[in-house]
Amino acid sequence: MSLLKILTFPHPILRKKCRSIKKVDSNIKKLIDNMIETMHAAPGVGLAAPQIGENIRLIVIDIGQGAFALVNPKIVKKNKTLQTFEEGCLCLPGIVAPVERSSAVTVKGLDKNGHPITIEAEGFLATVIQHETDHLEGIVFIDKVKDKTLIREVSKKEEEGKNKFI
Ligand code: ZN
């Protein structure tokens, strides 16, 4: 396995809509392994393929309950109730801001083996899934911060100590 380079904003790839993956082949499986390793090393709790320069619909997540991948994730249901978490992004190091998102989502996609899966998520996991699927549309979290004065800087130590970089 090898660590991948995480792009930083405003790299143009981060603003592009990603294309679907046709087949979960050995190259995709290898990329998933490398993305999980890169996410853990960062450290972060999620990583989307465009963040490492691949314009394809693939995300990996690990909020401390084990890492998993979602190929071609699609949010099929969103709770109307909103929640707010302070988020950071591995592509925008050093800043965090509160972001309002749905408090629960249902997401469908393929797993690492190409098998269809459905995940019902709430709380922080729901936020992470929405943050990552936004990346596949070229959207970054600061786009969703209504009050830009709430964007604050964090030290390297705080950045590494809290699991909010996605
Ligand atoms: Zn991000």
Side-chain angles (χ1 to χ4, degrees):
M1 288 200 278
S2 54
L3 290 179
L4 306 164
K5 188 180 182 306
I6 297 175
L7 305 180
T8 49
F9 196 76
H11 194 288
I13 285 184
L14 295 169
R15 283 304 194 189
K16 282 190 182 153
K17 193 173 155 75
C18 295
R19 63 178 189 277
S20 296
I21 293 170
K22 288 200 180 80
K23 192 170 184 283
V24 185
D25 58 15
S26 58
N27 285 333
I28 295 294
K29 286 180 186 174
K30 201 173 140 194
L31 183 62
I32 288 171
D33 287 340
N34 287 336
M35 280 176 62
I36 288 172
E37 194 187 8
T38 302
M39 167 181 67
H40 284 152
V45 292
L47 191 65
Q51 294 182 277
I52 48 90
E54 295 285 345
N55 230 217
I56 53 175
R57 303 187 82 81
L58 167 63
I59 62 176
V60 297
I61 290 172
D62 187 353
I63 62 160
Q65 298 160 353
F68 65 94
L70 272 173
V71 175
N72 300 334
K74 189 171 177 8
I75 293 175
V76 293
K77 207 169 136 192
K78 267 188 180 182
N79 194 331
K80 282 197 183 77
T81 309
L82 301 176
Q83 64 182 4
T84 303
F85 278 99
E86 191 169 56
E87 297 179 24
C89 181
L90 295 170
C91 297
L92 292 120
I95 58 162
V96 294
V99 184
E100 203 174 61
R101 299 185 188 273
S102 292
S103 62
V105 294
T106 303
V107 62
K108 285 180 185 275
L110 302 174
D111 68 10
K112 195 190 162 180
N113 298 311
H115 299 137
I117 45 166
T118 302
I119 295 171
E120 287 178 20
E122 56 179 20
F124 187 54
L125 182 58
T127 280
V128 173
I129 288 169
Q130 291 169 85
H131 179 121
E132 292 309 348
T133 51
D134 273 354
H135 272 302
L136 305 181
E137 304 299 328
I139 298 166
V140 292
F141 83 103
I142 46 167
D143 301 339
K144 305 226 156 174
V145 180
K146 286 175 193 146
D147 180 356
K148 306 287 185 209
T149 64
L150 295 176
I151 299 174
R152 67 177 182 93
E153 287 182 29
V154 287
S155 65
K156 194 84 195 145
K157 204 174 169 190
E158 189 186 351
E159 194 174 301
E160 285 172 1
K162 288 189 181 155
N163 286 335
K164 56 177 80 164
F165 281 79
I166 313 173

